[in-house]
Amino acid sequence: MSEKKIPYKIYLEESEMPKAWYNLRADMKNKPAPLLNPATLKPMTAEELSGVFCAELVEQELDDTTAFFDIPEDIRNFYKMYRPSPLVRAYCLEEKLNTPAKIYYKFEGNNTSGSHKLNSAIAQAYYAKKQGLKGVTTETGAGQWGTALSMACSYFGLDCKVYMVKCSYEQKPFRREVMRTYGASVTPSPSEETNVGRKILAEHPGTTGSLGCAISEAVEKAVSSEGYRYVLGSVLNQVLLHQSVIGLETKTALDKYNVKPDIIIGCAGGGSNLGGLIAPFMGEKLRGEADYRIIAVEPASCPSLTRGVYAYDFCDTGMVCPLAKMYTLGCDFIPSANHAGGLRYHGMSSTLSQLYDDGLMEAVSVKQTDVFEAAEYFARVEGILPAPESAHAIKATIDEAVKCRETGEDKTIVFGLTGTGYFDMVAYEKFHDNQMNDYIPTDEELKSYAAKLPEIK
Amino acid sequence: MSEKKIPYKIYLEESEMPKAWYNLRADMKNKPAPLLNPATLKPMTAEELSGVFCAELVEQELDDTTAFFDIPEDIRNFYKMYRPSPLVRAYCLEEKLNTPAKIYYKFEGNNTSGSHKLNSAIAQAYYAKKQGLKGVTTETGAGQWGTALSMACSYFGLDCKVYMVKCSYEQKPFRREVMRTYGASVTPSPSEETNVGRKILAEHPGTTGSLGCAISEAVEKAVSSEGYRYVLGSVLNQVLLHQSVIGLETKTALDKYNVKPDIIIGCAGGGSNLGGLIAPFMGEKLRGEADYRIIAVEPASCPSLTRGVYAYDFCDTGMVCPLAKMYTLGCDFIPSANHAGGLRYHGMSSTLSQLYDDGLMEAVSVKQTDVFEAAEYFARVEGILPAPESAHAIKATIDEAVKCRETGEDKTIVFGLTGTGYFDMVAYEKFHDNQMNDYIPTDEELKSYAAKLPEIK
């Protein structure tokens, strides 16, 4: 089949947008390990989880056999406000790199939250509303998830309470202000509002917070407030399910032009973007219908896949959450203060962890200054200023495209451009002013965190 | 003809994108008055202008008879990186307002410069490159134009020197940092780098600058530097020409669905967005082929059309630029420091001024707090956080849609959503904290500025 002339941007028609999310786990032979109750070390039941999460989200969380979940019409209508997102052919980047590789990126940044996080935020808000809840609580680090959830809650008239990692709260007043525009309340974490926050503040008076700690606060607030549940923007199976809309659109767009990717690349923090982007492709791979190289890109300063341990661990610092089996650095691990972007979670989605352990995907880690160099290069060549997170995927893509130049292979590379960097200019400024370094944890450090992992067979 | 089902977003195919810009002046019976040489008070010749502007841009500036100018291929390729921009059907806004009106907006904010300014920036950079120049100089107020020009210059490898109004430079460090990411040098204005800057600083030591003053500095720098020319992001005929791409795409998209607008609404500072959006519609109106209500929306704090004088005036505070006949508040006029958004230029495009004087379009002014209220409302309902400038058009659109609700008329309204507000969160914060007021200049103030206008027949 010959390729049709590919436009710079492929937009699907509304009618071509996915009507169901794809649940990758249904096609996995080795299912991801279940969440465990930290008290009993038994798998969490739906009943236990429903104190924390909305009932329908619990169903999605636990179901590893149903391949497709219909996307409710209200959510599809919301999606139409900012989706389908474009699949961009990076002609300018290819030319500049002088590579025979063909590069595409799925751009999820063209919405006010500035990233793909909105895809799951609107779904989680929808089910909360449907269940008759008053509101939801969550944590946010870089601020993208909090912004997305604020928008989603505003749409459905839900109260939204965000615990924002304190250093981000202070460094990113504008992110906070966007959330406020959407009516959310934003509290710097750790705070005096929760037991776990007070405990952490007492033990570490000067702490600027961490994602794991903000999660603990948000969960405590949800379970102790009438009519509230907790929602999370990554890591969970339900989030990967909702984010499959990214991969489904990508696949439909490529299929329209008879394009078959060789390599699929995504940045990976908790795994929400990568899991969503690769979902239908990994599905084909699992079913033996096609083969792809799939590459997770993580920061060298927070290398859960490339240097972590595959074991049960707490999802949060306060150890109030269930245990998940995942590649982890240990729930106390906090990346160097010099680390500027997101992707700072200590663990990785159980689903992706299992796929990685089964050798179905690869992982690489990249250094921070290399990431910002790639980000600036991309901004100048392709005209989009990327989020630091997304720039991890850009860096790995450029590396692969340069290899193609050297070997003369015209591979097709698809990567996820998860968001824009408009609220990350402090980090760009650091980069411009040579104030950024590449601190990488030592083996000894990682060992000391790994030694504290709970012992569970 | 019946309307086809209208999607939330209408995207044109690449092949449907305009291949030529439309020069509205060609269809005007009363041509806009020519620029005058301030020394001789005679119309500026091409030769005189070519010391300041690139040669081909001078041709475009002076040509009021050629209806279409081909868009060079390099520019069309750049346009493909972020255009066509979507024409959005505001279904959610219509529903929320409970209005029978049908509302569309042309959204120009989905690019890293965050506004429509990029449409002309890339054209001006292209002609500068073609002429073999080293670089260009310009001014920027809110920062959108400077960002757009930085991106355009980076694409063509041109040096870019931006004079940024000092109060913006200090309030918007992130805008500055985006320009730096694209390799531009940014100087707060007034500066010690130019004669006019030093003069203004000597006379007003504490000044935080103005757009008119930054223009003077940029022009002086261009004419005194070998291989440099000056470029401007609004007001000029050439800019309106390039911005016609907005209106041409809008018209093509509407025509595809057999939609005929009744009212077209745009915010107006110097006139670049409004002039571009309305171009093909006004053309039809001038040729007697169709009729539309066309509404310019300006800030009550800087009301050049609604309360200004139609007269020759200087384009800049330093009086180094040619004189233009326009609706003006006087070149010394500076809006209240409390005024948060852009649209702070003292005059209005000569073309739009003539059309307004001929009764071919209307103008309204809106108060700042009403604008931000409309902005927040829109952000929550349509999911896009608008630039304060764009929110002027939103406010006027909501007013018209509410009138339709009252009369039961199902008018079709199209407005220009020129950009996003991600770099305007300080202004949003002021609004949330009730730190914003609605200062409107008094008649006496405006009279005192008008009294200083040059006396030219």
Side-chain angles (χ1 to χ4, degrees), chain A residues 32-83:
Chain A
L35 293 170
L36 297 188
N37 183 321
T40 64
L41 299 186
K42 297 249 165 73
M44 292 288 289
T45 62
E47 203 187 334
E48 287 167 343
L49 282 171
S50 65
V52 182
F53 300 119
C54 301
E56 286 200 57
L57 292 168
V58 169
E59 276 178 40
Q60 294 177 358
E61 189 63 33
L62 296 178
D63 189 334
D64 57 12
T65 56
T66 304
F68 288 95
F69 285 83
D70 284 345
I71 307 176
E73 196 185 350
D74 281 352
I75 299 175
R76 282 196 283 134
N77 282 339
F78 188 88
Y79 279 169
K80 285 178 194 165
M81 286 168 67
Y82 71 100
R83 309 198 66 83

Side-chain angles (χ1 to χ4, degrees), chain A residues 200-430:
Chain A
I200 291 168
L201 280 174
E203 286 168 13
H204 309 280
T207 181
T208 55
S210 75
L211 208 50
C213 157
I215 293 176
S216 303
E217 287 205 87
V219 171
E220 181 187 320
K221 187 75 181 179
V223 299
S224 63
S225 307
E226 182 71 29
Y228 281 74
R229 290 295 185 285
Y230 167 71
V231 297
L232 178 64
S234 191
V235 182
L236 297 173
N237 295 321
Q238 58 189 269
V239 177
L240 266 68
L241 175 70
H242 306 147
Q243 294 295 359
S244 69
V245 69
I246 304 172
L248 292 165
E249 280 186 10
T250 303
K251 185 147 182 4
T252 305
L254 290 171
D255 285 349
K256 275 180 88 163
Y257 290 89
N258 298 322
V259 176
K260 219 83 203 122
D262 297 295
I263 308 175
I264 302 165
I265 296 175
C267 62
S272 70
N273 151 67
L274 183 70
L277 174 67
I278 68 173
F281 302 99
M282 184 60 90
E284 287 186 304
K285 193 165 170 168
L286 288 164
R287 296 189 304 271
E289 296 162 9
D291 197 16
Y292 306 100
R293 272 185 71 198
I294 292 173
I295 307 175
V297 192
E298 58 184 16
S301 55
C302 191
S304 56
L305 283 176
T306 51
R307 297 177 67 201
V309 180
Y310 190 35
Y312 266 105
D313 191 11
F314 288 95
C315 294
D316 63 324
T317 313
M319 304 183 185
V320 302
C321 288
L323 294 153
K325 189 174 177 193
M326 54 186 179
Y327 276 86
T328 179
L329 299 165
C331 71
D332 289 332
F333 180 85
I334 296 175
S336 154
N338 192 277
H339 174 90
L343 312 180
R344 41 173 64 242
Y345 189 63
H346 64 275
M348 178 61 63
S349 136
S350 292
T351 300
L352 293 182
S353 292
Q354 184 61 48
L355 292 166
Y356 180 61
D357 202 55
D358 288 340
L360 290 157
M361 55 180 243
E362 308 165 29
V364 295
S365 74
V366 288
K367 287 186 202 165
Q368 176 160 255
T369 52
D370 291 344
V371 165
F372 276 83
E373 205 176 284
E376 183 160 291
Y377 184 86
F378 184 82
R380 292 186 181 193
V381 173
E382 283 286 320
I384 296 172
L385 186 87
E389 298 81 22
S390 323
H392 288 71
I394 295 171
K395 166 64 182 154
T397 298
I398 291 176
D399 288 348
E400 291 294 332
V402 167
K403 276 185 217 160
C404 286
R405 181 175 67 207
E406 286 159 6
T407 63
E409 290 171 292
D410 62 344
K411 289 188 181 163
T412 296
I413 305 171
V414 175
F415 76 90
L417 189 70
T418 55
T420 50
Y422 307 145
F423 292 94
D424 298 285
M425 296 319 295
V426 169
Y428 275 91
E429 190 172 17
K430 263 193 187 173

